[in-house]
Amino acid sequence: MNPGAMMTSYEDAKGRRGDKTEKRLKFIAPLRNERTEATSDHADYLGLENIQSWTGKLLPSATSDFSEDDNSASGTANVFYSGDVLFGKLRPYLAKALHADKDGVCSTELLVLKPQPDIHPRFLLYSMLSPDFVGQVDASTFGAKMPRANWEFIGSMKLSIPTYETQRLIADYLDLETGRIDALVAEKEKMLALLEEKRAALISRVVTRGLDESVPRKPSGLDWLGEIPEHWEVCQLKRTWASADYGLSDNIRDEGGITVLRMSCIVDSRIDITKAGTIEEADEYLYLRKGDLLFNRTNSLDQIAKVGLVDFDPEFPLTFASYLVRIRINHRASPEYLAYLLNSRDFLEYARKNAIAAIGQANLSPSRYGEIHIPLPGVEEQNKITQVLNEDAELLSPLRKNIQDSIHLLHERRAALITAAVTGRIPVEEMTA
């Protein structure tokens, strides 16, 4: 996160405030090393997934794509008390930090700091959310897949500490100003959600009802579907398949070898290759080509059954992991139409009811998945539906991008404001004006 040229850096701003001193973090907020037997089932448990990145706030729910190490399920948790400041040492670039307003327990991936009496907890929180602080911590990490920082390095970092009264003024100012920015972000995120809702409703309607509302209808015989155009057929999904293959179960790494897609590579019905890993070797028959579909057969219930379309010609060998299944389509269906249908809200909800639930995840085998009945127009009509949905996406794309860009700028502004305030770039007089 780049605070922008208009703000001075963490180092440049040191010394601007006359009432400040530099102190090492471990002396102003020592580590609280108190542990207890507890897991994520504990009523007052906080995991990294519960804390929002960069804001110092709790998320409204624990839903997150963040994956902790086995430590989160080890049965051991850190104890924290009201007034403590928590900071995530795992993947510190996510800037997971929190000022605790009540007692509780948390993941051992969260450092628990006890601010000394002359340190305002929220000033400390904002200091640790400064992009410069986070960047220095992140640069110290070890481990490629699960990068962690250690307390020895973090505790030795120096912070500029003004008087307690100045700390309080800065914290109050940042509470107010970041609150305003967060409200703007929330409004823009609401706009994005409404666009996505409109888009999802359109997709669900046309892939199950067609483009012409005036055509005669008939009962589909399926509880999740209702009526469909009279000239459409209903068939098992597997009747549209030429083949279905499991992916590779070998260890996936982050560099060197053949590119392998993971479940996180399925994004908005398409493939995001930037999230791929690598594998040492793979049989050529498992290489992907344009038109292949990948569906996620095992994950949490809200992630299972998502489908991604390979809508490009791979320029190099590209394969896929074992928790994905590759589907190649026969002459009866268009891969792009199926990608829209299989990711539609009504179909996903029904498909997930067919999954076999287990602790922490669910499984939907290709055989169970393929037995699900789907509505199927002729290929020519499938292509017309796909064209309409693609044109709609093109119309929405610039608006969506403008909103996303403005959210990004607001996040940058927020980070720059925090850095400027905690390092003395903004005079105290301006904060109280």
Side-chain angles (χ1 to χ4, degrees):
M1 189 172 293
N2 181 7
M6 68 178 197
M7 298 295 180
T8 58
S9 72
Y10 183 82
E11 294 295 330
D12 292 340
K14 287 181 179 178
R16 287 184 177 272
R17 184 181 289 118
D19 62 352
K20 66 91 185 175
T21 57
E22 284 190 355
K23 296 183 180 180
R24 296 189 186 277
L25 181 58
K26 62 185 176 183
F27 297 131
I28 63 174
L31 189 66
R32 188 189 292 279
N33 266 321
E34 187 176 339
R35 295 196 171 184
T36 188
E37 293 298 314
T39 66
S40 57
D41 294 331
H42 191 284
D44 295 316
Y45 182 90
L46 280 179
L48 286 164
E49 70 274 13
N50 300 113
I51 302 174
Q52 191 174 43
S53 290
W54 291 101
T55 67
K57 297 180 179 180
L58 288 174
L59 289 166
S61 71
T63 301
S64 173
D65 61 357
F66 191 94
S67 176
E68 293 190 27
D69 200 355
D70 290 341
N71 292 345
S72 64
S74 65
T76 301
N78 285 336
V79 177
F80 63 86
Y81 298 95
S82 179
D84 287 347
V85 174
L86 283 55
F87 185 84
K89 64 179 181 178
L90 175 63
R91 296 176 184 164
Y93 57 83
L94 293 174
K96 301 267 187 170
L98 182 74
H99 170 222
D101 60 2
K102 64 177 183 179
D103 300 350
V105 298
C106 63
S107 166
T108 54
E109 300 295 357
L110 284 161
L111 298 171
V112 179
L113 309 184
K114 178 184 178 182
Q116 294 300 285
D118 59 341
I119 301 300
H120 193 288
R122 292 197 62 75
F123 172 82
L124 177 61
L125 173 70
Y126 282 121
S127 296
M128 297 179 75
L129 284 174
S130 162
D132 297 281
F133 181 91
V134 173
Q136 290 181 50
V137 174
D138 186 48
S140 75
T141 58
F142 55 93
K145 186 177 180 182
M146 306 287 282
R148 284 184 179 80
N150 62 56
W151 170 244
E152 287 72 21
F153 178 87
I154 298 174
S156 296
M157 292 179 65
K158 292 182 178 180
L159 297 179
S160 294
I161 307 297
T163 64
Y164 188 87
E165 178 60 20
T166 301
Q167 294 176 48
R168 184 190 64 77
L169 288 172
I170 292 171
D172 289 347
Y173 170 78
L174 288 175
D175 283 347
L176 178 63
E177 295 301 322
T178 60
R180 290 171 175 168
I181 293 173
D182 292 343
L184 286 173
V185 170
E187 284 299 314
K188 292 182 180 296
E189 288 178 338
K190 184 178 179 181
M191 292 172 63
L192 278 179
L194 289 173
L195 286 177
E196 295 303 324
E197 173 63 25
K198 179 182 177 182
R199 170 75 172 163
L202 174 65
I203 292 172
S204 289
R205 186 177 78 250
V206 299
V207 298
T208 59
R209 303 288 186 271
L211 299 172
D212 186 353
E213 294 286 346
S214 67
V215 300
R217 309 276 171 181
K218 67 179 180 182
S220 66
L222 305 176
D223 292 338
W224 71 272
L225 187 56
E227 291 189 337
I228 61 173
E230 193 174 58
H231 62 285
W232 286 21
E233 66 172 309
V234 173
C235 70
Q236 287 184 317
L237 176 57
K238 65 183 178 182
R239 301 303 177 193
T240 66
W241 298 354
S243 62
D245 298 291
Y246 286 94
L248 298 162
S249 58
D250 292 344
N251 290 331
I252 298 175
R253 51 196 185 187
D254 292 320
E255 58 182 18
I258 297 172
T259 303
V260 56
L261 300 178
R262 322 181 219 225
M263 64 180 75
S264 59
C265 296
I266 298 177
V267 180
D268 295 333
S269 305
R270 295 297 187 267
I271 299 299
D272 182 357
I273 202 168
T274 65
K275 300 176 182 291
T278 62
I279 204 163
E280 188 171 343
E281 59 182 1
D283 291 332
E284 289 189 19
Y285 88 94
L286 288 178
Y287 287 176
L288 295 166
R289 67 190 186 203
K290 186 175 182 178
D292 285 346
L293 294 175
L294 293 175
F295 96 89
N296 191 4
R297 68 177 181 86
T298 181
N299 202 329
S300 59
L301 196 58
D302 63 329
Q303 296 295 314
I304 204 170
K306 286 186 175 181
V307 171
L309 170 66
V310 180
D311 59 353
F312 56 91
D313 288 308
E315 298 178 354
F316 45 79
L318 180 64
T319 188
F320 55 104
S322 62
Y323 29 73
L324 300 174
V325 174
R326 179 186 64 191
I327 297 170
R328 286 190 168 155
I329 305 306
N330 61 30
H331 66 282
R332 302 184 68 185
S334 154
E336 197 161 12
Y337 171 78
L338 279 187
Y340 278 125
L341 172 65
L342 302 182
N343 284 305
S344 64
R345 292 180 303 183
D346 293 339
F347 180 85
L348 277 175
E349 181 180 351
Y350 182 77
R352 288 166 181 165
K353 291 178 180 178
N354 286 267
I356 298 175
I359 297 176
Q361 66 176 13
N363 185 273
L364 183 58
S365 68
S367 59
R368 290 177 66 87
Y369 188 60
E371 289 172 359
I372 299 174
H373 285 77
I374 62 167
L376 195 66
V379 172
E380 183 178 349
E381 188 171 354
Q382 292 176 39
N383 291 335
K384 289 180 180 178
I385 290 172
T386 294
Q387 181 180 353
V388 168
L389 292 176
N390 288 345
E391 289 172 354
D392 178 73
E394 289 179 7
L395 288 173
L396 288 181
S397 182
L399 179 57
R400 185 186 292 110
K401 186 178 185 304
N402 286 340
I403 298 173
Q404 290 169 337
D405 287 347
S406 64
I407 290 174
H408 179 71
L409 289 174
L410 285 169
H411 284 314
E412 286 194 337
R413 170 60 184 163
R414 190 185 199 280
L417 185 68
I418 291 173
T419 297
V422 300
T423 57
R425 179 68 178 84
I426 303 175
V428 174
E429 295 77 18
E430 290 187 15
M431 299 185 196
T432 57

